[in-house]
Amino acid sequence: MSTLLEVEGLSRNFGGLAAVSGLGLDVQEREVFGIIGPNGAGKTTAINLISGVIKPSSGVVRFRGEAVTGLPPHRLVRKGLARTFQATTVYGQRSVYENCLRGAYLHLYPGFLGTFLHTAAARAMRAEADARIEEVLGWLGLTAAADTIASNLPYGAQKTLGLAIALVAQPSLVMLDEPAAGLSAEEADHVRDTIRRLRERGIAVVVIDHNMRFMRDICDRIFVMHHGQELARGTPDEVLSDPTVIQAYLGRAYAKPEA
Ligand SMILES: Nc1ncnc2c1ncn2[C@@H]1O[C@H](COP(=O)(O)OP(=O)(O)OP(=O)(O)O)[C@@H](O)[C@H]1O
Ligand SMILES: [Mg+2]
C-alpha cells in the first residue's frame, strides 16, 4: 500500500468558528477510509477543503505526494481526486447518459464542450467518453437506465448517478458525503456493494456516514471528528468500542458490544 492522500494541519474558520482545526490524516491506495462524528463536527467541511470546494485557512493537502492545497475541484478531478455530486448538480431533465457525458467533458476535456464538434479529435474524445460511460454505468447497475430522464429515477438511483458522473473521470480517490442517507436498507446495501466494487477496481474511497452498521461493513479505517478535530482513529472495531467515541458520539447503544 502506498499513500494517496495526505492532509496536515488543515484548518478552516467561519467567522469565529473553527469548523476544521489542525486536521491531519492519510488515505492509502485502495483504502475505504471512513469519517464519522456528531452533527457539526466538521466532516463535510473537511472533504470540501480536500476536494477544493472551499479554500483552507491553513494547512496542506498532498495527493500522490504533490501539494494540491486550494486547487479548484476540476483541476483535482484531473489529478484523480473526485467527489460525488449532489442531486442538485444532476440535470434532472437530461438522461442518465447525457449527465455522464456532460461530466466527462467537464472533467476530462474542459473547453471542448460545443466546440470542434466535427473534428476527428472531437470524435475520438466522444468515443472515449462513451466507452467510459458504458463501463461505469455497467459497474453501477445503471445500464438499463441510460436513457431514463434523471428526475424520473428513484432517489437511490439519482444518488448513484451522482457517483457515476464522478467515476467517468476515472479518479483514483472518490469522496462520498453520506451516500446512504435517506436510502432504504436495500438501497444502502447496494451502495455498500458498489463501494466494495470500487475498491476491487483500485479506487480508494473516503466516505462520511452516520449509519454505523454501514460504516463498520465497508471501512478499512475510521477517523472520528469532534469540534473540528480528531477524536480517534483506527479500525472500525477499535473506534466503535472506544469509550471517548461512545461518549461523544455513539451514545449508550454502543456501550456494550453488539450481539
Ligand atoms: N459555509 C459556512 N459558513 C458558516 N459556517 C459553516 C459553513 N459551513 C459549515 N459551517 C459550520 O461549520 C461547522 C461544521 O459543519 P459541517 O457541515 O462540516 O459538519 P458535519 O460534520 O458535516 O455535520 P453533519 O453530520 O450534520 O453533516 C458547523 O458548525 C457548521 O454550522
Ligand atoms: Mg455533513
Side-chain angles (χ1 to χ4, degrees):
M1 289 250 255
S2 64
T3 303
L4 202 52
L5 174 73
E6 281 175 285
V7 170
E8 276 173 31
L10 197 66
S11 302
R12 171 68 198 228
N13 304 320
F14 292 115
L17 174 80
V20 169
S21 177
L23 203 68
L25 55 81
D26 64 279
V27 178
Q28 304 296 308
E29 274 184 30
R30 293 170 180 261
E31 182 175 33
V32 179
F33 186 89
I35 302 179
I36 64 172
N39 295 118
K43 306 178 298 296
T44 296
T45 304
I47 71 165
N48 282 342
L49 290 169
I50 294 167
S51 62
V53 174
I54 57 174
K55 291 198 189 310
S57 313
S58 61
V60 182
V61 178
R62 272 190 289 272
F63 191 67
R64 295 189 184 285
E66 179 191 0
V68 296
T69 323
L71 288 185
H74 67 274
R75 291 195 52 199
L76 290 171
V77 168
R78 268 174 267 150
K79 290 180 185 293
L81 198 169
R83 63 171 300 154
T84 45
F85 292 82
Q86 305 302 316
T88 49
T89 51
V90 169
Y91 281 71
Q93 298 315 310
R94 296 300 181 128
S95 72
V96 165
Y97 167 77
E98 287 166 331
N99 269 285
C100 289
L101 188 63
R102 181 173 170 280
Y105 276 94
L106 208 61
H107 298 136
L108 300 172
Y109 320 118
F112 273 88
L113 194 57
T115 59
F116 311 117
L117 269 179
H118 302 294
T119 65
R123 280 194 297 275
M125 281 179 203
R126 176 66 177 261
E128 191 190 355
D130 280 346
R132 288 185 184 190
I133 292 166
E134 193 181 329
E135 186 183 26
V136 166
L137 295 182
W139 291 359
L140 300 181
L142 281 175
T143 304
D147 295 324
T148 302
I149 297 300
S151 61
N152 292 338
L153 292 171
Y155 180 63
Q158 290 190 23
K159 290 188 82 159
T160 306
L161 174 57
L163 176 58
I165 295 169
L167 292 178
V168 168
Q170 292 189 314
S172 43
L173 173 72
V174 64
M175 300 201 279
L176 318 177
D177 193 355
E178 302 200 21
L183 301 188
S184 68
E186 193 185 328
E187 287 173 326
D189 285 349
H190 180 70
V191 175
R192 180 197 63 202
D193 295 343
T194 299
I195 290 174
R196 288 187 177 147
R197 232 172 300 138
L198 294 181
R199 196 236 240 143
E200 281 161 21
R201 291 181 188 269
I203 300 171
V205 178
V206 173
V207 57
I208 298 173
D209 213 273
H210 288 289
N211 180 335
M212 288 308 116
R213 191 176 70 86
F214 174 83
M215 293 297 269
R216 185 198 286 271
D217 277 357
I218 55 171
C219 294
D220 297 300
R221 285 188 298 158
I222 292 181
F223 185 94
V224 189
M225 289 184 69
H226 191 38
H227 299 312
Q229 296 179 319
E230 174 175 351
L231 183 68
R233 69 170 94 185
T235 65
D237 284 344
E238 285 165 359
V239 158
L240 297 178
S241 62
D242 183 330
T244 55
V245 177
I246 291 167
Q247 198 195 348
Y249 176 48
L250 298 172
R252 300 209 310 166
Y254 269 82
K256 289 185 191 143
E258 281 180 305

